[in-house]
Amino acid sequence: MNSAVRAVVRMGLYVGAKVYFVHEGYQGMVDGQDNIVEVNWESVSSILQVGGTVIGSARCKEFRTREGRLKAAYNLVKCGITNLCVIGGDGSLTGANLFREEWSGLLDELVQNGSIDEETAHKYSHLNIVGMVGSIDNDFCGTDMTIGTDSALHRIIEVVDAIMTTAQSHQRTFVLEVMGRHCGYLALVSALACGADWVFIPESPPEEGWEDVMCTKLSENRACRKRLNIIIVAEGAIDSFNQNITSERIKDLVVSRLGFDTRVTILGHVQRGGTPSAFDRILASRMGVEAVLALLEATADTPACVVSLCGNQAVRLPLMECVQMTQEVQKVMDERKFEEAVKLRGRSFENNLNTYKLLANRKPQSELPQSNFNVAVLNVGAPAAGMNAAVRSAVRVGISEGHKMYAVSDGFEGFARGQIKEISWGDVGGWTGQGGSLLGTKRTLPAKNLEKIADQMRAYNINALLVIGGFEAYLGLSELSAAREKYDEFCVPMVMVPATVSNNVPGSDFSIGADTALNTITDTCDRIKQSASGTKRRVFIIETMGGYCGYLASMGGLAAGADVAYIFEEPFDIRELQANVEHLTEKMKTSIQRGLVLRNENCNENYTTDFIYQLYSEEGKGVFDCRKNVLGHMQQGGSPSPFDRNFGTKVAAKAIQWITKKLKETYRQEEGRVFANTVDTACLLGMRRRALVFQPVSQLKDETDFVHRIPKEQWWLKLRPLMKVLAKYKTSYDISDAGQMEHVVRRSREA
C-alpha cells in the first residue's frame, strides 16, 4: 500500500495538485482535525520498502451512518478536497461510492445547518472517487492481482520452503493454514507454487469420501520414498456438507488413519507483514499514477472507478460493477454453485485450479490415453529460477496426456551427445522450489551439431520438442526450424517457453526468472539504501545484468525508488550524466540525503560502471561520496519467486497441451509418423499484453534486434518516465497508454 501512497502523492504534486493524507481511514475522515494533513514530496520518502500503510487504516462504524458521512463531508470541504483516492477492499470501496452518491445531499444539509455557505457548496459541488484494491486475498473481481497479494505469497512460500527442509529430515506431514475466509486464491497459488499434495479452498469443496482419497494418496507418496507431505488449507475451506475443514481436523484424520507424524502451522498475520515484493511495488506505483490520471479526467458524470491490472495492461473499471461481481461470487457460493463461483473468480483463478488438479493428481496407468508419442524437454541458455517448475509441469502434463517424456541434459550440446533419458512422474517431485536448472543448461546453439541431434532424435524417436530458455533457445529453435528442409527429423512440433533473467526474448512481455532476479535486485537496493541512510550524503551506483536489455535496471529502479537507471535502449550522453549529478546535489540539500543509481551492464561501452562511479565521485566532491556494487550472478540464483513458479508451471502446461494438439494434427496415419513442417508448428509461447499467445518463430524475426539480442519494441519502456516522475525529475509523462474505462466481463458456466 505504501508504494501506492507514494505514487499518488508524487504524481499529484507533479501535476500541480495539493495532496492530503487522511490518517486512520474513514475514522480519520470523520474525526478530521490533524487526521487530514497536507503533505509534500519528502513525506513519502523511504516508505517503498515498508509493509502495511504509513497513513494507518481503521474500520469505522460511524462512517456507515449518514451523520458520520456528514462529518466526513464537512472535514473534506474545509480542506478543499474534492478528489478522493481510496485504497482498500470491497467494503471500503462500496462506502466510498455511497459517499459520492450522497455528496450533493450532504452539502445541502451542511448549508442548511450553517456549517458552510452556498458559494462553498457550489465550489465543491461534486466528489470524484477512484479506488485501488488493497487486499492480500485477491478476492476482488475485475483485477488480475490486488495490491499485497504477491507479497503475501512470498511470505507463504518462504515458510513452506523452510518447512520442507525440516519435514524431509523427519519424515513429517505438515498442514499449513493460510488466510482466505471467502477466497482460496492464496491457498491455491501457494499449493501450485510449492507442489503441495493436497489443497482445500472454499470455491472447490472436495467430493464426498475425500478423506479416503487423500489418505490413499499420502500413503502412496510415502511408499514411493517421498519423505514429506504438504497439505495447504484456506481458513474458509468447507466440505460437500458445508462443514468447515480445519487444519486440526486434517491433522487428526492423518494421525488416526495413517499414523504419520503430523504438525500444523497457522501462518496468520505473518502473511500481511514483511517487505513488499518487487511485483507489488511496481503494481502499486503504476496503479497510484493511473489513479491520479483518472481523477484528473473525471467529471460529475463519470462513474467512480477502480484502477486495476489485466495482464500487464492498466485498466479502469466501474467500481460498482466490480463490487457487485465480487458480492455475486459469495452469493453463488452460499447457493453451493461452486463451478459458477470458480468461473466468476476469473480466467486466471480457473486456470490455476485446473493446472493444480492436473499436476497434483496422477491418474492410474489404465486411465491414461495411449498416444505412443515421445516428447523431449531441454533447457537452453543461462539458468533462470523457475526453469525446474516448468520442467516438472511439462513432464507431468505430458504423462497425463499419454506421452513418453524424455529429459535432455545440458541443452543442445547434451542432445548431440545423446544425454537423453526417460523421465517419470516421481522424478520431478520437489522440483518446483529449486533454483537453477536441474537438467543442466548450456548456451551452445544447435547449428554445428545438426546432424548429431537429428541422429539422436531418430534413435529415440522424438516426436516433439519443448525448449525452455532465453535468447539462445529462440535462436536454437529458429535454426532447427530452418533445418527442416535438410532433416526430416526436425519436422516435428517444436515450442519454446521463454526463461531468462534478462527478459529479452521477442514475442513475450515476461520471461521465467526475471521476477526472481528483480526481487534480488530490489532486496539488495533496500539494504544499500538502509546503509546510506545511516551514513548520509552517499550515492550508490549498482550494476545489473540483462545484456543489452534494460528491463532489470528499469524495473529494479522503479521498485527500489532509484534516482536514475541507465540503459542501452535510451542513449545518454555526458550532459545527461552531468544533469543527474546536479539533481542529486540538489537532493542532498533536502532531508533525503542519499542516492541510488542503477546501470545496465551493457548500456554504454564507454560510460562504464567505473567511469560513472569516478564521474559522480569527482563532481559530487564535498557534497556526497560514492560507492559502487556489481550484483553479478546472484541475480541468476536463489529460490524462484511465487510468480516465476506459477508462471513457469502454467506456460509449460499450456505448451504441452499445444504439442498434443499439433501431434494429432500432423500424424500421418499411412506413414505411421509425425510430419510437421509448416511455420505454425515451430512456435514461441509468450505473454502478450493480456493473453498467452503461440507465435511462429519465423514471424518473430522482424521484431528482433539480433545484434543486441533484444526485441525491437519493449512494453516496459513506457514505464520509464514513471520512475523519473517519482524521482522528481521534470519530464513529460505520456498518457497515451493510460487505462480506458472498460466493463467487467461476466463469465458464466457456458463461457
Side-chain angles (χ1 to χ4, degrees):
M1 277 186 174
N2 286 326
S3 303
V5 170
R6 172 179 176 267
V8 170
V9 169
R10 293 192 168 176
M11 188 65 181
L13 294 171
Y14 168 80
V15 297
K18 278 187 177 181
V19 185
Y20 291 82
F21 276 165
V22 178
H23 289 281
E24 310 309 327
Y26 289 133
Q27 189 66 56
M29 200 187 294
V30 171
D31 294 343
Q33 296 178 345
D34 57 359
N35 285 302
I36 303 175
V37 293
E38 189 175 353
V39 292
N40 60 28
W41 197 271
E42 293 166 42
S43 303
V44 289
S45 174
S46 303
I47 68 169
L48 261 178
Q49 66 273 23
V50 180
T53 168
V54 294
I55 59 174
S57 177
R59 298 185 192 279
C60 180
K61 286 184 180 177
E62 203 174 347
F63 190 76
R64 295 179 184 178
T65 66
R66 186 171 173 86
E67 291 75 20
R69 293 192 289 277
L70 190 69
K71 288 181 188 176
Y74 174 69
N75 289 326
L76 291 187
V77 168
K78 205 163 63 169
C79 296
I81 298 170
T82 55
N83 293 291
L84 208 54
C85 182
V86 180
I87 311 170
D90 61 337
S92 305
L93 298 177
T94 305
N97 192 63
L98 177 62
F99 190 42
R100 179 180 186 268
E101 288 173 350
E102 290 182 348
W103 183 256
S104 58
L106 293 169
L107 293 198
D108 290 344
E109 202 171 320
L110 289 171
V111 170
Q112 286 165 16
N113 65 27
S115 298
I116 61 172
D117 56 32
E118 290 274 4
E119 188 183 341
T120 304
H122 180 71
K123 185 178 179 182
Y124 304 119
S125 59
H126 69 269
L127 178 71
N128 296 318
I129 298 271
V130 170
M132 283 186 280
V133 191
S135 163
I136 67 165
D137 292 333
N138 201 31
D139 57 352
F140 195 80
C141 292
T143 179
D144 284 355
M145 285 287 267
T146 54
I147 297 166
T149 304
D150 190 65
S151 299
L153 285 170
H154 273 258
R155 300 296 88 78
I156 296 168
I157 294 304
E158 284 162 12
V159 171
V160 173
D161 286 351
I163 278 174
M164 277 184 158
T165 54
T166 181
Q168 276 184 329
S169 305
H170 298 283
Q171 276 199 309
R172 281 184 179 147
T173 297
F174 267 88
V175 182
L176 266 81
E177 184 180 299
V178 301
M179 283 184 166
R181 194 172 294 119
H182 304 295
C183 178
Y185 184 87
L186 287 178
L188 177 58
V189 175
S190 52
L192 197 59
C194 72
D197 296 276
W198 204 274
V199 65
F200 295 94
I201 59 173
E203 293 88 347
S204 183
E207 293 175 5
E208 195 176 339
W210 62 268
E211 297 93 340
D212 296 332
V213 178
M214 185 184 79
C215 289
T216 301
K217 182 182 177 186
L218 295 180
S219 57
E220 282 174 356
N221 284 348
R222 282 290 171 91
C224 295
R225 297 193 175 182
K226 186 177 179 183
R227 296 180 61 83
L228 79 154
N229 304 111
I230 298 280
I231 300 165
I232 294 180
V233 54
E235 59 183 339
I238 52 171
D239 63 18
S240 54
F241 301 106
N242 212 27
Q243 298 297 307
N244 289 341
I245 298 178
T246 64
S247 47
E248 284 298 330
R249 178 181 168 185
I250 297 165
K251 176 193 170 182
D252 293 343
L253 175 72
V254 174
V255 171
S256 62
R257 293 272 190 100
L258 303 173
F260 290 172
D261 185 2
T262 306
R263 305 296 165 92
V264 170
T265 299
I266 299 173
L267 296 190
H269 282 76
V270 165
Q271 297 156 86
R272 291 196 185 277
T275 303
S277 67
F279 182 95
D280 264 336
R281 297 185 199 192
I282 294 165
L283 169 68
S285 297
R286 291 180 68 184
M287 296 303 96
V289 167
E290 187 68 36
V292 173
L293 294 175
L295 284 171
L296 289 175
E297 294 168 18
T299 65
D301 302 321
T302 312
C305 74
V306 287
V307 292
S308 67
L309 200 70
C310 188
N312 71 349
Q313 189 70 24
V315 294
R316 300 175 194 173
L317 298 163
L319 188 151
M320 287 316 294
E321 282 187 25
C322 296
V323 169
Q324 284 158 10
M325 178 86 81
T326 303
Q327 291 169 348
E328 193 176 341
V329 176
Q330 192 55 50
K331 185 184 168 194
V332 298
M333 282 173 66
D334 292 340
E335 294 169 356
R336 308 191 60 71
K337 298 175 182 174
F338 295 109
E339 284 182 33
E340 192 163 345
V342 169
K343 294 276 184 193
L344 289 171
R345 282 271 180 242
R347 201 177 299 277
S348 175
F349 188 94
E350 188 180 15
N351 287 346
N352 283 329
L353 183 58
N354 291 337
T355 306
Y356 176 78
K357 286 177 179 176
L358 200 59
L359 298 176
N361 303 313
R362 185 179 184 180
K363 293 177 184 173
Q365 196 69 34
S366 57
E367 290 181 25
L368 293 175
Q370 291 304 309
S371 76
N372 296 320
F373 292 125
N374 298 339
V375 180
V377 183
L378 67 157
N379 294 155
V380 176
M387 274 183 164
N388 298 320
V391 172
R392 169 185 174 268
S393 174
V395 168
R396 291 195 169 180
V397 174
I399 290 170
S400 298
E401 305 265 292
H403 309 318
K404 193 177 279 189
M405 300 301 293
Y406 285 89
V408 180
S409 300
D410 299 336
F412 289 118
E413 200 173 297
F415 211 149
R417 290 179 186 158
Q419 292 172 226
I420 304 163
K421 64 173 184 178
E422 190 178 347
I423 189 164
S424 69
W425 185 281
D427 290 339
V428 291
W431 279 33
T432 321
Q434 298 199 47
S437 166
L438 292 172
L439 287 185
T441 181
K442 293 278 178 76
R443 293 180 182 272
T444 314
L445 293 174
K448 294 177 183 176
N449 297 309
L450 287 172
E451 196 163 329
K452 289 179 181 176
I453 293 171
D455 289 343
Q456 296 299 338
M457 288 189 71
R458 187 166 56 251
Y460 286 90
N461 190 27
I462 302 297
N463 307 117
L465 272 183
L466 170 61
V467 185
I468 302 166
F471 204 86
E472 286 87 0
Y474 165 62
L475 292 175
L477 201 64
S478 299
E479 289 178 5
L480 292 182
S481 175
R484 281 172 164 178
E485 292 178 12
K486 189 174 179 183
Y487 300 98
D488 276 1
E489 289 80 5
F490 300 139
C491 293
V492 296
M494 298 185 278
V495 64
M496 177 204 158
V497 166
T500 167
V501 300
S502 303
N503 198 30
N504 64 332
V505 178
S508 188
D509 294 345
F510 296 109
S511 297
I512 299 164
D515 184 70
T516 305
L518 207 48
N519 277 288
T520 302
I521 293 166
T522 307
D523 291 346
T524 307
C525 289
D526 285 349
R527 296 181 186 196
I528 284 169
K529 281 171 75 175
Q530 197 172 36
S531 127
S533 66
T535 51
K536 303 274 194 270
R537 298 182 178 277
R538 183 163 284 176
V539 174
F540 279 88
I541 291 136
I542 298 171
E543 183 185 294
T544 67
M545 289 177 102
Y548 286 96
C549 180
Y551 176 82
L552 289 179
S554 297
M555 302 305 267
L558 186 54
D563 295 282
V564 65
Y566 298 116
I567 62 169
F568 170 78
E569 291 91 342
E570 277 188 12
F572 57 96
D573 56 21
I574 196 70
R575 287 181 293 277
E576 188 170 336
L577 289 168
Q578 182 62 37
N580 297 148
V581 172
E582 288 167 5
H583 180 83
L584 283 166
T585 303
E586 287 301 308
K587 186 180 178 182
M588 295 299 162
K589 294 175 184 174
T590 71
S591 62
I592 316 168
Q593 295 182 344
R594 62 167 193 282
L596 188 65
V597 175
L598 269 62
R599 178 190 176 274
N600 164 252
E601 59 185 349
N602 288 343
C603 65
N604 189 294
E605 61 181 340
N606 296 314
Y607 299 139
T608 62
T609 302
D610 283 334
F611 177 89
I612 292 173
Y613 164 69
Q614 287 163 1
L615 177 74
Y616 272 65
S617 298
E618 182 61 31
E619 294 296 318
K621 207 174 269 184
V623 181
F624 57 80
D625 63 352
C626 287
R627 296 290 185 275
K628 63 177 175 179
N629 197 318
V630 178
L631 299 186
H633 282 76
M634 64 186 288
Q635 295 160 85
Q636 282 183 352
S639 180
S641 69
F643 179 91
D644 279 331
R645 298 182 194 199
N646 196 2
F647 186 56
T649 298
K650 287 202 286 192
V651 290
K654 195 173 180 74
I656 291 292
Q657 288 165 341
W658 176 88
I659 280 175
T660 301
K661 178 170 167 277
K662 290 295 176 187
L663 283 169
K664 288 174 182 173
E665 288 174 5
T666 59
Y667 183 68
R668 293 185 172 180
Q669 194 79 41
E670 65 283 358
E671 297 176 32
R673 66 170 182 143
V674 171
F675 189 82
N677 67 347
T678 54
V679 292
D680 65 340
T681 56
C683 286
L684 180 146
L685 172 57
M687 168 67 84
R688 280 282 175 101
R689 290 173 79 87
R690 301 188 188 184
L692 287 168
V693 186
F694 289 94
Q695 303 141 99
V697 287
S698 58
Q699 291 176 11
L700 290 172
K701 286 179 181 176
D702 293 340
E703 299 178 24
T704 310
D705 174 354
F706 286 99
V707 176
H708 300 105
R709 297 159 60 90
I710 54 174
K712 289 178 181 175
E713 288 188 14
Q714 301 182 86
W715 68 272
W716 51 265
L717 285 169
K718 290 179 179 175
L719 301 184
R720 291 269 303 167
L722 175 55
M723 184 183 69
K724 292 178 181 175
V725 167
L726 298 179
K728 211 175 182 178
Y729 278 89
K730 290 181 174 66
T731 183
S732 59
Y733 187 76
D734 178 16
I735 61 166
S736 63
D737 201 42
Q740 302 300 312
M741 187 72 89
E742 300 183 14
H743 291 279
V744 182
V745 179
R746 189 186 191 286
R747 295 182 65 236
S748 65
R749 195 180 287 119
E750 290 75 36

